[in-house]
Every structure is written in structure tokens, then in C-alpha cells.
Amino acid sequence: MKVDHNSIKFSQVSLTVLALAAFVTDAGWLVGILALIMAISTAVPGWGAFRAVYRYAALPSGLLRPNVVDDDPAPHRFAQGVGAVFLGASWIALATGTAALGWALTLIVAALAMLNVVFNFCAGCFVYYQLRRYGLVRREA
């Protein structure tokens, strides 16, 4: 299978910028929107908001070029799903008055996204492969 790693990195940078903007401006509602964007992108990868901006704005403008490589998309979707869960929990914490926990979860997601952008290490992918190694995640058909 093929995966465009620049699309993934574009999504991670976009997520990080928006998560940090939410933190700086204390916009908990934005964390909820990010959680929803991540959840939809996980469930229906073709409908991803960041992917659409990448495909219809960043690529045509010449700002970025595709970096399509042989790769399994499942670990990346898993990592994105974990990010969605963390952001969803963050939004709930922020909405219920547990701001320290909410912002900590948001900043963890942002930091892990940037870890992949800067060092090419996907923590969610690592967890996916460990779970698969121990038989807790089945290999997709």
C-alpha cells in the first residue's frame, strides 16, 4: 500500500498549530473541534479536513509536494484515532472544569505530533505495532 507521508506531516503540523492556538487563547471549544476532525479522519480517511486542505490548497499552490512511499496506513489511522480519543478526553476535561488535565492532554497530543514531524517517530504507530506483536490488534486483510 502507498501512504503520502507529507500529507500526514501536514496534518500533524496543522493539528499542533491549532492545539497550541487553543491553549494560548484558552479556547476549549477548538479542542472539541480538533477531536471531531481527528475522529472523522480516522473513521473515514477520505473525509479528513486536514487532508482536504493539503490536497486542494497546499499541493496546488506548490507549497508542498507528495512524498508517497510504500507503507501500511493502519498504524497511522490507529495513531490518529488515539489522538482523537486524547483530544476528546481533553475537551471533556476542559468542559467540566478540569483545565489542567484538559490542557495537559492537548499538549501531549501536540508534542507527539511534532515528535513525528521532527524525528520521524510515530508514538501511536509504535504502540500499534506492539499491540499487534502481542496479538491484541489483528492485521488488516
Side-chain angles (χ1 to χ4, degrees), residues 15-16 19-20 23 82-83 86-87 90 100-116 123-124:
L15 169 70
T16 301
L20 292 177
F23 174 71
V82 171
F86 268 63
L87 289 173
S90 172
L101 175 62
W103 291 122
L105 291 171
T106 297
L107 294 175
I108 287 170
V109 171
L112 290 175
M114 285 311 296
L115 180 69
N116 192 11

Side-chain angles (χ1 to χ4, degrees), residues 78-100:
F78 176 84
Q80 192 171 33
V82 171
V85 169
F86 268 63
L87 289 173
S90 172
W91 178 76
I92 290 169
L94 291 168
T96 59
T98 316

Side-chain angles (χ1 to χ4, degrees), residues 114-125:
M114 285 311 296
L115 180 69
N116 192 11
V117 171
V118 175
F119 296 108
N120 287 320
F121 176 76
C122 174
C125 298

Side-chain angles (χ1 to χ4, degrees), residues 17-29:
V17 168
L18 291 172
L20 292 177
F23 174 71
V24 169
T25 62
D26 196 28
W29 58 270

Side-chain angles (χ1 to χ4, degrees), residues 42-64:
T42 301
V44 188
W47 288 10
F50 296 137
R51 182 177 179 204
V53 173
Y54 171 77
R55 176 182 272 168
Y56 299 112
L59 289 179
S61 71
L63 292 174
L64 295 172

